[in-house]
Amino acid sequence: MEISYDEIKKILPHRYPFLLVDKIIEIEPGAYAKGIKCVSGNEGFFQGHFPDRAIMPGVLQIEAAAQVGAIALLKGLEEDRKVLFGGIKNARFYRPVVPGDRLEMRCEIKGRRDTMGLGEAEIYVDGEKTMTCSISFAII
């Protein structure tokens, strides 16, 4: 099952410039999602990060992966629930993300209680791991 950009906007409250998922290409509601972000040289953050060598900030990579996890969680919850970013642990970056990269973001939900969710996220570019982290979500 795929979820389009327009459908993602109905699920997440984020908007430009902070909606960082272009499409969901796989989803198991409440358990797992895989999403895509196509990184363009026109992204606003590249103006200052860095003018001489454009690199996507790590915090935005984590946010993008967390949005994929939030979609997985929200598709498994009642419609009136919301998901907030709760925390990050063990973030590791393996290579820079640059304009032209197509991020394949995966987030597996490892645990969920009424008000909390835990996920393991990874990002790949051309099959090469670029980022991993553990994410916690607050469910409201």
Side-chain angles (χ1 to χ4, degrees):
M1 171 176 159
E2 288 193 359
I3 300 175
S4 71
Y5 182 76
D6 288 332
E7 293 173 273
I8 289 168
K9 289 193 301 185
K10 294 175 185 171
I11 299 167
L12 295 178
H14 305 76
R15 295 295 177 263
Y16 178 84
F18 282 101
L19 181 53
L20 299 173
V21 182
D22 295 330
K23 175 169 57 171
I24 296 294
I25 57 173
E26 288 179 26
I27 188 165
E28 185 178 328
Y32 172 80
K34 182 190 294 185
I36 299 297
K37 164 132 181 84
C38 297
V39 180
S40 165
N42 291 323
E43 310 263 5
F45 52 78
F46 285 135
Q47 292 177 16
H49 201 269
F50 295 97
D52 296 333
R53 183 168 184 234
I55 298 173
M56 184 177 185
V59 68
L60 294 181
Q61 294 175 51
I62 293 169
E63 173 66 26
Q67 289 179 16
V68 170
I71 292 168
L73 271 173
L74 286 166
K75 288 304 259 183
L77 297 171
E78 309 87 50
E79 283 193 37
D80 64 335
R81 304 298 293 269
K82 302 289 182 213
V83 174
L84 302 175
F85 209 152
I88 308 160
K89 287 186 180 177
N90 304 319
R92 300 285 181 264
F93 302 94
Y94 302 97
R95 78 180 254 319
V97 171
V98 298
D101 283 347
R102 180 180 181 265
L103 306 185
E104 183 180 289
M105 304 168 292
R106 307 170 188 174
C107 189
E108 183 177 353
I109 305 304
K110 294 293 195 172
R112 189 179 103 201
R113 293 182 192 237
D114 187 47
T115 61
M116 191 139 174
L118 299 172
E120 294 293 325
E122 301 174 317
I123 296 178
Y124 291 83
V125 173
D126 297 327
E128 183 181 351
K129 189 183 295 185
T130 65
M131 190 280 301
T132 60
C133 68
S134 298
I135 300 171
S136 63
F137 301 93
I139 302 169
I140 56 171

